[in-house]
Amino acid sequence: MAASIIDGKAFAARVRAKVAAEVSALSRDHGLIPGLAVVLVGEDPASQVYVRSKGKQTVEVGMQSFEHRLPVDISEAELLNLIVKLNADPEIHGILVQLPLPSHVNSELVVNAVDPAKDVDGFHISNVGLLGTGQKAMVPCTPLGCLMMLRDHHDSLSGMDAVVVGRSNIVGKPMAQLLLGDSCTVTIAHSRTRDLPAVCRRADILVAAVGRPEMIPGDWVKPGATVIDVGINRIERDGKTRLVGDVHFESATKVAGAITPVPGGVGPMTIACLLANTLTAACRANGLPEPEGLTA
Ligand code: NDP
């Protein structure tokens, strides 16, 4: 039987609707409007598309959007100055610095200059530590979106064998922490893993975050497994540019129990979770209860 398709686009729309309802209640009951500041340095076309999309969706859920577009040659000191101002601004509850930054800027320094309470990307070292020790953190958006879809699909993840392929700080490592937090038995695989096919075949939950088009074929997938494909790869096929994941969808869908497609799976969840994180940050900053179902 073919796998059921986990529709990330529809799921993300539900998350945004939930965020919008919570924002409306916050504004009505507390006069509070969550605000998200996005900082973009330079004119990288892909980053510009992301930032535009983030701004649009922020406004659509009733939040305030603040965009700071800075020239590519801005100095590190000027950028850090802006972060200090945003940290101190009470109208801003979330700050996102669009990566990558130009090479003359120390990205780690900038990311760690953001107030951890406003770090809606979850990349600040304090949030990494909080997540790793099972404390309340701001959680990176893409793995948070994956977790939400997994929780929606399974009554409980407890005791399941989870394999995360990829160990980046943005996806692989936080994903593994989240799965561990939900009591999965977690394996993190990477480019040096021996016998990757056998490792993948053990997985009840297989998360692919590699960046290699269709690297994982169906015969690496355990029958009935839930497959979350984080990969976004642009390839040329039949004279057209197409987006494909890290999993070979056509063969995997014949074996898996459920699978996220690319596009329309994990991708749309990332911005939805950014909005959820901004809402969570606004609630925490004001001592209000956090919305249910939108956090780890
Ligand atoms: P990175 O390049 O930072 O990390 C890739 C990881 O894959 C590394 O840990 C690397 O291992 C591992 N890897 C590379 N080759 C192999 C291999 N042959 N076998 C096993 N593991 C391998 O990528 P990201 O984590 O940032 O992103 C991964 C993918 O997810 C990309 O396609 C990216 O576009 C996509 N993405 C999608 C998002 C979304 O919103 N849906 C958001 C973020 C990313 P090693 O450490 O040993 O080098």
Side-chain angles (χ1 to χ4, degrees), residues 227-264:
V227 178
I228 304 289
D229 191 352
V230 183
I232 300 179
N233 308 291
R234 236 167 267 278
I235 60 159
E236 294 297 322
R237 186 174 288 158
D238 307 329
K240 286 187 187 151
T241 306
R242 293 171 193 275
L243 281 189
V244 297
D246 292 338
V247 177
H248 186 265
F249 186 80
E250 207 186 318
S251 56
T253 199
K254 292 186 180 130
V255 190
I259 187 165
T260 59
V262 178

Side-chain angles (χ1 to χ4, degrees), residues 142 165-168 171 190-191 196 209-212 215 230-233 266-267 270:
T142 300
V165 190
R167 56 173 163 179
S168 73
V171 189
H190 45 77
S191 67
L196 186 59
V210 181
R212 289 180 162 242
M215 182 188 108
V230 183
I232 300 179
N233 308 291
V266 175
T270 298

